[in-house]
Amino acid sequence: MPQTPPDFATRRDVEGRRLESLLRRIYGDDPRLDRELAALLADVDAAWRQRPDALKILDRKRQGDPEWFESNRMLAGVCYVDRYAGTLRGLLEHVPYFRELGLTYLHLMPLFQAPSPNSDGGYAVSSYRHVDPALGTMDDLRATATELRDNGISLAVDFVFNHTSNEHAWAKGALAGDPAYDDFYWIYPDREMPDAFERTTREIFPEDHPGSFVPLPDGRWVWATFHTFQWDLNYGNPAVFRAMANEMLFLANQGVEILRMDAVAFIWKKLGTSCENLPEAHLLLQAFNAVCRIVAPGLLFLSEAIVHPDDVVEYMSPDECQLSYNPLQMALIWNSLATRDSRMLGQALATRHATPPGTAWVNYVRSHDDIGWTFADEDAALLGIDGTDHRSFLNRFYVDRFPGSFARGVAFQTNEKTGDSRIAGTTASLAGLEAGDEGAVRRILLAHSIALSTGGLPLIYLGDEVGQLNDYRYADEPGKRDDSRWVGRPRYPAGRYADRHDARTSAGAIYAGLRHLIALRSTHPVFAGGELVPFDTHDAQLLGYQQPGAGSASSPGSASSPCSVGLAVFANLADDMRTIESTTLSGLAALAPEWIDLVTGSVVDLTQGLRLGPQGFVWLVPAGSSV
Ligand code: OTU
């Protein structure tokens, strides 16, 4: 029996107590806490009064179906408003296309007021309450959210809460010595504390500045993990938590349904630690979650933690972030394409894919950011691979400095001191389309097929579905030339979109292939939920995994689908035809007499073995099953 969702008064009571207990754990006996907490609860009441009725109705719908985001019908896309459509109004003209593609979720890259031209693509926010005037207004954003929702698409935007721009009113106040903002950032009069912190912190954007601190014009030093103009907020001050909670509620009330929690790993600092992934970072996220549960219980948090896989999964919980990027799978898709070796990816699917109930991965092939090789060295070692050497190989391979490479990527944030580096580029350019490599289209489809068949929520970087190539013109754009990630953030590829229904073009081939996979995923519930079982193909170049069927443990005795495997996926990373031996497949063959490859629609006789072309893959389901 579905339970009646808790009403506001109940949530205010239950989640309010959770909020208080979390804040007491974070702030201990900080004398500022009681005042900030009382004020915050008043803010929460005010935000509820302002929450539009349409959103309250949506909240109830989401509360009644809390795992809505795990549906096989979900498909996410991401784009920059300016590069894809000019303005928010221009973006709405693309809604019919979003429906054609099958989107149910759209992440618009940061679109708030930011300094010009240096804004880190909008990740340096000067006001969370104003849309960048070049893109539109807050009214336009609300209208966009409504129009998308009316078309079955949930709007996601960034909550850039680790830092603000140095042009934010709080930053200006802190710089000017306004006591209200004195303690909003990590500002020190001299190098003593910065030196102490930097003994244990990592350099994140070493091409921008060394260390974690940057000098201010008055000789003081401010914490800036990313660019010099992005100042880290000091969550050690409960007033900062309250201030950002208010910005979050403001965004929630505009109709945003998913908040992408930017740079979660960095939000808490403690001397003598790496200042990443600290326990208080989790408590803070849970406290933000509690605030949301009261006012906007339908809202989801997406964690953006591009860190060691042990740490990534720690952010996933219904009480913290319901969604997380899956950076390990993303990086290992690229690893498997370069090496033609499926083992690291297979290992990750076997040992690191499970997530807590009520949470899901956002599976993606690439994002607007760089590809960082965040696999665990200890996992690689189990396969006899040296992590450092292997990263260095991948970095060379993806910038075409390895014999036979098909990739045309660009290095990002190379650290001369540590030798560390990351890779930027579009999917098509990284997969060989720019180089004219014969396997490029197949690689692009294979890469996306993994994101589409491993449960969770697949995310496409819009334009990649028609094979957009790197755009090198960023080097001439003010504020962009020093950030090579722009190579992978091209403008709307109009010509390629125009070709998308022409199968003779690469755009058409990629689009038709992807649309087909998306349609299959959305019509077969077996693709929902992320439960995977590894399948050993006995060949390093062949990847295998299965999803349990409806007839397995979850509904024993179900007559319609007696098979315990709902879906079996096999993929060939090699450049030549490969066969999986019938003996390897005999277990599957015993489960069902006949299997269908959903991708081609053909019947497959597993007792004859399975032949897979170069970069080929199959999505097998037992014939006659209703998956
Ligand atoms: C995020 O990424 C954003 O995705 C970037 O576009 C921003 O520049 C950055 O934050 C600052 O707002 O370093 O290269 O998890 O990898 O948070 C991307 C650690 C980044 C970082 C990640 C960050």
Side-chain angles (χ1 to χ4, degrees):
M1 275 285 283
Q3 290 180 342
T4 319
D7 62 5
F8 176 73
T10 312
R11 300 197 305 266
R12 170 75 159 72
D13 180 34
V14 174
E15 299 291 340
R17 271 183 282 136
R18 179 163 78 103
L19 174 65
E20 172 165 1
S21 114
L22 286 162
L23 294 180
R24 296 219 179 276
R25 281 170 70 191
I26 298 168
Y27 296 107
D29 49 15
D30 188 317
R32 298 170 293 189
L33 178 59
D34 284 338
R35 192 186 59 224
E36 292 301 335
L37 180 61
L40 176 58
L41 289 170
D43 298 337
V44 159
D45 292 339
W48 172 251
R49 284 193 299 273
Q50 286 152 13
R51 186 152 178 85
D53 286 339
L55 298 179
K56 292 181 178 173
I57 292 168
L58 182 69
D59 287 333
R60 278 198 289 277
K61 190 173 147 204
R62 300 300 191 218
Q63 287 174 290
D65 180 17
E67 292 179 8
W68 63 279
F69 53 88
E70 299 192 55
S71 157
N72 56 301
R73 281 185 294 279
M74 291 296 287
L75 178 71
V78 55
C79 67
Y80 285 88
V81 175
D82 56 342
R83 287 175 116 65
Y84 200 81
T87 60
L88 282 168
R89 282 170 190 231
L91 187 91
L92 289 182
E93 288 167 26
H94 293 278
V95 169
Y97 170 71
F98 297 151
R99 293 186 61 147
E100 173 191 312
L101 182 61
L103 291 190
T104 61
Y105 168 132
L106 180 65
H107 172 205
L108 297 179
M109 293 297 295
L111 41 76
F112 302 102
Q113 208 175 76
S116 177
N118 289 312
S119 72
D120 186 19
Y123 280 100
V125 179
S126 309
S127 165
Y128 299 87
R129 301 201 179 215
H130 294 91
V131 168
D132 175 351
L135 306 178
T137 63
M138 202 43 88
D139 286 343
D140 292 339
L141 183 63
R142 264 195 307 277
T144 304
T146 306
E147 179 73 12
L148 289 171
R149 192 169 342 107
D150 289 347
N151 282 279
I153 302 172
S154 299
L155 175 64
V157 302
D158 284 83
F159 187 48
V160 188
F161 69 121
N162 172 68
H163 45 267
T164 71
S165 132
N166 61 346
E167 292 185 10
H168 193 287
W170 303 338
K172 287 184 181 165
L175 192 61
D178 180 340
Y181 301 110
D182 218 17
D183 213 9
F184 262 53
Y185 300 88
W186 298 85
I187 299 178
Y188 293 103
D190 52 41
R191 284 293 309 174
E192 186 188 338
M193 288 307 289
D195 283 340
F197 274 113
E198 285 177 0
R199 271 196 276 282
T200 49
T201 57
R202 196 161 64 102
E203 293 184 343
I204 305 301
F205 281 3
E207 288 174 8
D208 187 75
H209 63 87
S212 300
F213 285 80
V214 295
L216 292 174
D218 58 16
R220 292 184 296 165
W221 291 81
V222 64
W223 198 309
T225 297
F226 298 97
H227 292 97
T228 50
F229 50 85
Q230 288 165 301
W231 295 0
D232 288 47
L233 285 162
N234 173 14
Y235 281 96
N237 175 2
V240 169
F241 178 81
R242 179 187 156 217
M244 280 311 292
N246 270 293
E247 305 311 271
M248 176 180 72
L249 291 175
F250 174 81
L251 294 180
N253 278 353
Q254 309 310 305
V256 171
E257 293 189 47
I258 300 105
L259 285 176
R260 174 191 180 278
M261 310 299 279
D262 184 55
V264 290
F266 300 93
I267 57 176
W268 191 263
K269 336 277 190 201
K270 186 178 172 200
L271 198 61
T273 73
S274 67
C275 298
E276 290 182 45
N277 308 305
L278 294 176
E280 288 84 353
H282 294 285
L283 298 177
L284 281 167
L285 281 163
Q286 288 162 28
F288 279 119
N289 175 301
V291 170
C292 263
R293 285 287 84 81
I294 303 174
V295 177
L299 198 101
L300 299 179
F301 285 177
L302 161 62
S303 158
E304 191 258 343
I306 316 300
V307 290
H308 189 287
D310 286 347
D311 296 318
V312 174
V313 73
E314 289 294 316
Y315 293 93
M316 300 178 80
S317 142
D319 290 338
E320 196 169 328
C321 297
Q322 299 85 354
L323 295 167
S324 166
Y325 284 101
N326 192 350
L328 179 64
Q329 175 170 309
M330 183 276 294
L332 294 180
I333 287 174
W334 291 105
N335 170 68
S336 66
L337 293 177
T339 58
R340 282 80 163 170
D341 186 326
S342 72
R343 288 176 304 155
M344 288 183 80
L345 180 55
Q347 179 195 49
L349 292 174
T351 64
R352 295 198 179 269
H353 192 74
T355 66
T359 69
W361 289 119
V362 168
N363 293 318
Y364 62 114
V365 172
R366 64 101 169 192
S367 70
H368 70 287
D369 277 333
D370 48 289
I371 300 174
W373 309 110
T374 57
F375 59 82
D377 282 8
E378 52 279 23
D379 291 356
L382 290 173
L383 298 170
I385 295 166
D386 178 274
T388 307
D389 288 354
H390 194 60
R391 284 189 190 91
S392 146
F393 155 73
L394 290 166
N395 283 324
R396 275 179 288 128
F397 185 93
Y398 276 107
V399 299
D400 188 25
R401 282 178 41 215
F402 189 84
S405 170
F406 50 73
R408 295 289 180 272
V410 176
F412 175 66
Q413 298 297 338
T414 303
N415 190 329
E416 303 298 346
K417 282 178 268 179
T418 62
D420 193 35
S421 188
R422 286 120 80 178
I423 297 295
T426 66
T427 297
S429 287
L430 293 173
L433 199 65
E434 189 178 325
D437 188 89
E438 186 262 330
V441 171
R442 293 194 303 269
R443 276 187 211 102
I444 294 166
L445 293 177
L446 173 58
H448 284 97
S449 80
I450 293 165
L452 286 163
S453 64
T454 46
L457 212 162
L459 166 68
I460 295 176
Y461 189 102
L462 292 176
D464 280 8
E465 75 281 18
V466 290
Q468 68 190 341
L469 298 172
N470 282 351
D471 185 345
Y472 297 93
R473 289 172 293 172
Y474 76 96
D476 304 322
E477 287 182 77
K480 298 193 168 63
R481 70 175 61 97
D482 293 328
D483 188 338
S484 62
R485 289 175 298 179
W486 287 102
V487 83
R489 303 166 178 174
R491 293 166 188 78
Y492 182 79
R496 300 193 71 91
Y497 273 115
D499 284 347
R500 73 185 185 277
H501 298 301
D502 181 349
R504 292 164 308 178
T505 63
S506 60
I510 296 165
Y511 188 71
L514 265 178
R515 266 298 305 141
H516 180 51
L517 298 181
I518 291 165
L520 289 173
R521 183 182 194 275
S522 70
T523 46
H524 291 84
V526 72
F527 289 98
E531 213 183 317
L532 289 190
V533 181
F535 188 104
D536 185 357
T537 62
H538 302 299
D539 182 335
Q541 296 191 289
L542 297 173
L543 178 68
Y545 50 92
Q546 313 161 50
Q547 293 214 10
S552 62
S554 53
S555 57
S558 151
S560 63
S561 180
C563 185
S564 61
V565 177
L567 173 77
V569 175
F570 295 104
N572 178 12
L573 276 314
D575 294 329
D576 53 0
M577 173 84 78
R578 286 298 162 104
T579 302
I580 308 180
E581 298 304 328
S582 58
T583 45
T584 306
L585 298 167
S586 57
L588 279 184
L591 284 176
E594 249 179 13
W595 291 74
I596 310 274
D597 173 20
L598 290 178
V599 181
T600 57
S602 54
V603 174
V604 177
D605 180 356
L606 294 179
T607 62
Q608 301 302 305
L610 186 65
R611 279 158 66 82
L612 289 170
Q615 294 94 25
F617 58 90
V618 289
W619 287 357
L620 302 181
V621 298
S625 71
S626 52
V627 293

